[in-house]
Amino acid sequence: DQITKSLQQGLEFLARKQMPAGSFTGRANGQSTDTIFFTALILGCLNGIQDAKPLRESMAQYLLAHRSTAWSWNYWERGSNSRPYPDDLDDTACAVAGIAGHNAALLGASAQASVAKNLIVCEVKPGGPYATWLMPADHAQWRDVDPAVNANIGYMLHKLGVHSEALQAYIDECLITHQLESPYYVGEVPTLYFMARWYKGEQLH
């Protein structure tokens, strides 16, 4: 049917655009570059599509190649000269969620323990919400709490089979007060999209 045909055409397009290392190129700072973020989001979108398995496998391996030893990710590739910021929970959450959706076996006990440690480092309150940047609590300039980032963290936890009442309460409050804009994204729509992937709270209406 038409849906199947369109899906196949989309997969063929992605196969043509995928780089040899498994990544996808996007625009950042006015130039084309391979970044963790674009690849992680595309992987998440393709999870569950059987015909996309070869694409997904190379994306997952690309992401794993660019993690830190602490299982964190940066917006930029590991080793890139364009890395002006520390690792962050936004890219980390998107990468972990994408990998978990593709093949949970790639995230063993030690990996999940490292992810938990990263969350604790950024915990503002027990169970969330979380600060964006993977920096110690005494670095106040890196302790912003962002609705889009926390929505992605919620999705990561969902893919790992974890539910945080505290994080859901934070998302509830963001929806009630319409605090949905993020300096890292344009407008409210990205935040709402990230929330919609996992949120099942009382503010669905």
Side-chain angles (χ1 to χ4, degrees):
D1 59 14
Q2 187 59 45
I3 293 177
T4 301
K5 182 180 178 180
S6 297
L7 177 59
Q8 188 59 43
Q9 289 175 338
L11 293 177
E12 291 171 357
F13 172 81
L14 289 173
R16 292 194 301 271
K17 294 297 182 180
Q18 189 175 33
M19 303 301 289
S23 61
F24 287 89
T25 299
R27 298 287 293 179
N29 292 342
Q31 61 184 357
S32 296
T33 183
D34 296 348
T35 74
I36 299 305
F37 184 71
F38 298 124
T39 305
L41 284 189
I42 293 171
L43 175 58
C45 289
L46 294 181
N47 282 333
I49 300 176
Q50 185 61 31
D51 289 347
K53 188 173 182 179
L55 288 170
R56 291 191 281 115
E57 183 61 33
S58 58
M59 278 186 273
Q61 292 305 317
Y62 166 80
L63 293 174
L64 289 170
H66 290 281
R67 67 174 177 84
S68 74
T69 55
W71 285 84
S72 63
W73 278 262
N74 202 281
Y75 182 82
W76 306 99
E77 293 181 333
R78 193 68 50 188
S80 169
N81 292 326
S82 303
R83 296 176 70 244
Y85 303 111
D87 288 0
D88 63 87
L89 282 184
D90 201 31
D91 292 285
T92 296
C94 291
V96 171
I99 294 167
H102 166 64
N103 182 1
L106 295 172
L107 298 167
S110 62
Q112 293 192 42
S114 293
V115 171
K117 290 178 182 177
N118 290 333
L119 289 173
I120 291 170
V121 167
C122 297
E123 215 171 40
V124 175
K125 296 179 180 179
Y130 300 92
T132 299
W133 304 96
L134 276 158
M135 295 290 284
D138 57 353
H139 289 65
Q141 70 271 31
W142 299 102
R143 299 295 289 181
D144 69 287
V145 177
D146 185 89
V149 174
N150 277 275
N152 281 329
I153 293 169
Y155 183 59
M156 175 188 71
L157 293 175
H158 171 74
K159 298 303 287 186
L160 294 174
V162 177
H163 176 73
S164 169
E165 289 288 346
L167 187 56
Q168 179 165 303
Y170 167 76
I171 298 298
D172 285 341
E173 185 65 20
C174 288
L175 290 166
I176 291 169
T177 60
H178 302 288
Q179 300 297 314
L180 300 171
E181 293 205 5
S182 162
Y184 309 114
Y185 298 92
V186 178
E188 298 180 349
V189 172
T191 303
L192 290 170
Y193 166 71
F194 295 144
M195 290 177 177
R197 295 188 297 174
W198 64 275
Y199 176 78
K200 303 294 183 185
E202 295 180 356
Q203 303 306 314
L204 281 175
H205 58 278

